[in-house]
Every structure is written in C-alpha cells, then in structure tokens.
Amino acid sequence: MQLTKQLLDQRPDPLYDVLVVGGGAAGLSAGIYLQRYLLSTLIIDKGKARSFWMQELHNYLGLAPDTPGREVLQQGKDHFLSLEGDHLNGYVEDVVDEGDSFAVRVRIGRSNPTYRVFRSRYLIAASGVIDHLPQVSSMKNVFDYAGHNLHVCLICDGYEMRDQRTGVFGNSEGSLEVAFPLEWFTPHITLFTNGAFAVSDAFRDRMSAHGFTLEERPIIRFLGENHRMSGVELADGTVVELDMGLVSMGSKYHADYLQGLDLEYQGGNLVTDDMNRTTHPRIFAVGDLKVGMNQVIIAAADGAKAATQIWRDIRRQEGHRRAGTERKVA
C-alpha cells in the first residue's frame, strides 16, 4: 500500500525481506519482481527520479517514442502497489548493518518531518543520480528547457541532435570532450564554458581543428519559448542561436546513506557483480548508481536481475514460500 505517517503510526515495525531505496525505473522494476517472487518489499522514494524529468523516452523497446518518463514511473508504481508492495515517500538518511538485517533511518515529510527506522534483510540501492546544470542567475530559466531540447545524455539523445546547431555546456575542459563523439551526429557544435573555467591553448587548437566554436563568456540566460530552447544570451548581450543543447557537467550521486558501509566504488559508482550484488552480500546496486550505462531500459533490467538473485538467496535459505503463506508485514 501507499504508506502515510498516519498508517505508520498504526502499524508495528515489520521486518521486510527487501527495502529498495529509490522509486525510479530500477527500483520499481526490482519491486515488481520481488513481489512476484512472494517477497515483502518496501520502496522508499524521495520523488526525484532522473527519468521523471525526461519528456520523451526514445530508446525503450515497446514504448511510443514520445512517452514521458513520469508516465512510465506512474505505471510502474501502480503495478507495484497492485502486487501489495509497500511504498513510502521519504528520504533515506542512514543505513546501519545490524548483522542479519539493516536498520534504515528515513525522514518523512519536508516541513515538520518525522523520523522512522525500518528493517530489512536485503537492501537495493536504486536512488540514482541528478545531473548538474549550467548555473545562471535564475535557475528556473534552465529548468524551463532541461529535459526538453536541453539534453544530458548523448547516448539517449544524440540522434535528436543530428545536423542541429548544438551547444555543449561543460564545467571543465575534460567535460567538453563530449564534443568529439557528438561530432558523429552533427558538425555544428558550440562549446560553452560560462566563464567558469579556462581552457588550455592545446585544447583550443583541437577545437578549432574540428571546426568547433568555443564561447567563454558568461551566460546570462537561455532563450526560447514553450520549453524549446533556441539559444543563449551572453553577458555582453550577444545572442548565440541554437537548436539543441547538451549538458556535460557530471552528476550528484544519491548514495550518502551508504557512507557507513564498506563498499567498493569506481569513481562515484558502486562496483557490482553480474547480478548487481555489491561487495556486501546483502546489498545490491541498480540503475545509475552502479558502474555501467545510464539508460532507463538497462535500469529496469538491473532491477529484475537484483530481485532475482535475492529470491535465489532466500529460496536457498528457506526452501519454499507458497502463495498464501508468504511472509506478511503487519
């Protein structure tokens, strides 16, 4: 069921088979599989899944190419709830390994929050990432276009940029290197530093050799209407006309709650095996948190694999759990 503060006050503390942190494509997929394996599952979601901001999912087999990400997430949540899984809107602050179970501390509510500790045998980290965006005086101006034709993923949306005037927005010289694979789709590329960093002469020469334009003046605002970005205005009033944008500024990994646990990382990503198990035998990582491609369809597959491996683990321990006799949570 969809849990609320009031419902939680009326229930004793259960021990879930699995607690899933994150209600994006990876977390919902895991939850659906777990419930179909007759395992008790709680999904805790902060409501900021990366795919929620995607206006169109182009690469997901079986979906119309203009399907909004939020529609996919709502369908996934409805499916999970129909299988009698528990879902809570909240923010996971900390996870403590107690040996046979995890104690997960959750903040519920933004104003006058309450705190609750949930326990589970297994944990799936599916809390994802959020992309850094260009900084201008009014960030609402950036949000007007992010997820529309101001993209954050070359693999997802390179096709949309074919032969279009595309601006690449970076936060370091290295981040602008994405211009080279982008050149596969379009030669019309302008690189923006937003006045935030300097580039080397060698880098400047490479950009020039490829025919890219390098723009180092600060950006005042993005231009456009009806969520379609048409260019940027620079600090001196110059307007650079664009058809598309690609943000290459890295991401914030939503995994601070795992800091007290001994896990292996590669950069900001968690290292996992083929079934998405981390270096802790009862913690799995799926979707954008793990090493691999950041794609919605892969995140959904990650959830299915992690859930299946957990079921295998528990099945070996318990032998069987027949329908009608599955573990219940009060």
Side-chain angles (χ1 to χ4, degrees):
M1 66 178 69
Q2 180 63 52
L3 301 180
T4 64
K5 292 182 183 179
Q6 291 74 21
L7 284 172
L8 289 172
D9 290 340
Q10 300 167 14
R11 290 162 49 123
D13 291 332
L15 174 67
Y16 288 94
D17 287 315
V18 188
L19 189 147
V20 181
V21 185
L28 288 169
S29 174
I32 289 167
Y33 272 82
L34 289 164
Q35 288 300 120
R36 289 177 60 84
Y37 286 136
L38 308 182
L39 301 176
S40 60
T41 313
L42 170 62
I43 293 178
I44 298 176
D45 182 35
K46 64 184 180 300
K48 295 183 180 179
R50 192 187 198 197
S51 49
F52 181 84
W53 305 105
M54 296 179 183
Q55 306 306 313
E56 298 179 350
L57 295 180
H58 296 284
N59 303 340
Y60 203 115
L61 180 66
L63 290 182
D66 59 351
T67 303
R70 64 188 64 190
E71 181 178 312
V72 173
L73 296 180
Q74 186 60 55
Q75 290 178 359
K77 180 180 177 181
D78 291 344
H79 188 181
F80 172 71
L81 291 173
S82 76
L83 296 168
E84 301 183 345
D86 282 349
H87 186 282
L88 174 67
N89 295 324
Y91 183 83
V92 174
E93 292 195 337
D94 186 48
V95 175
V96 176
D97 185 356
E98 297 183 322
D100 293 331
S101 64
F102 297 105
V104 181
R105 187 171 188 264
V106 180
R107 185 177 76 235
I108 306 167
R110 296 186 180 180
S111 58
N112 300 316
T114 60
Y115 295 85
R116 186 74 176 250
V117 173
F118 297 90
R119 285 179 168 79
S120 66
R121 302 164 72 188
Y122 283 79
L123 184 79
I124 296 180
S127 40
V129 304
I130 193 70
D131 299 282
H132 298 308
L133 295 174
Q135 298 296 301
V136 300
S137 58
S138 172
M139 288 307 295
K140 182 182 181 302
N141 172 251
V142 182
F143 297 142
D144 280 343
Y145 308 107
H148 293 268
N149 67 335
L150 183 58
H151 303 288
V152 296
C153 177
L154 177 61
I155 293 173
C156 303
D157 299 307
Y159 179 82
E160 312 307 318
M161 303 177 212
R162 62 196 188 282
D163 296 322
Q164 301 295 301
R165 296 172 300 177
T166 302
V168 175
F169 303 91
N171 56 4
S172 68
E173 184 174 292
S175 70
L176 296 177
E177 295 277 346
V178 72
F180 296 112
L182 175 61
E183 190 180 19
W184 178 270
F185 297 98
T186 180
H188 312 299
I189 298 172
T190 301
L191 309 177
F192 293 88
T193 70
N194 197 18
F197 60 95
V199 299
S200 65
D201 290 340
F203 183 83
R204 198 184 306 275
D205 291 342
R206 287 174 64 207
M207 298 301 105
S208 178
H210 281 259
F212 304 154
T213 299
L214 179 62
E215 182 52 71
E216 299 178 81
R217 287 170 286 184
I219 297 169
I220 295 298
R221 63 189 176 106
F222 286 82
L223 305 174
E225 58 184 18
N226 298 323
H227 300 295
R228 302 298 297 179
M229 186 267 298
S230 61
V232 296
E233 180 183 347
L234 303 178
D236 64 357
T238 300
V239 171
V240 180
E241 295 183 349
L242 300 169
D243 303 305
M244 294 280 171
L246 177 62
V247 178
S248 177
M249 302 182 69
S251 305
K252 159 66 177 173
Y253 293 82
H254 291 302
D256 292 348
Y257 56 91
L258 297 174
Q259 289 181 350
L261 302 167
D262 185 17
L263 301 172
E264 183 180 352
Y265 291 82
Q266 181 178 311
N269 296 105
L270 284 156
V271 175
T272 64
D273 66 12
D274 290 342
M275 295 301 284
N276 299 324
R277 193 194 306 267
T278 68
T279 45
H280 188 295
R282 290 182 291 108
I283 299 178
F284 289 70
V286 294
D288 295 348
L289 278 187
K290 59 177 280 292
V291 175
M293 291 176 62
N294 292 2
Q295 298 286 288
V296 177
I297 198 165
I298 291 177
D302 282 344
K305 291 170 69 175
T308 299
Q309 186 58 55
I310 291 172
W311 170 61
R312 289 172 179 169
D313 287 357
I314 293 177
R315 179 167 54 86
R316 292 187 185 107
Q317 298 165 20
E318 297 186 4
H320 61 77
R321 186 183 293 184
R322 297 182 180 89
T325 62
E326 62 266 30
R327 178 191 295 267
K328 296 292 186 180
V329 293

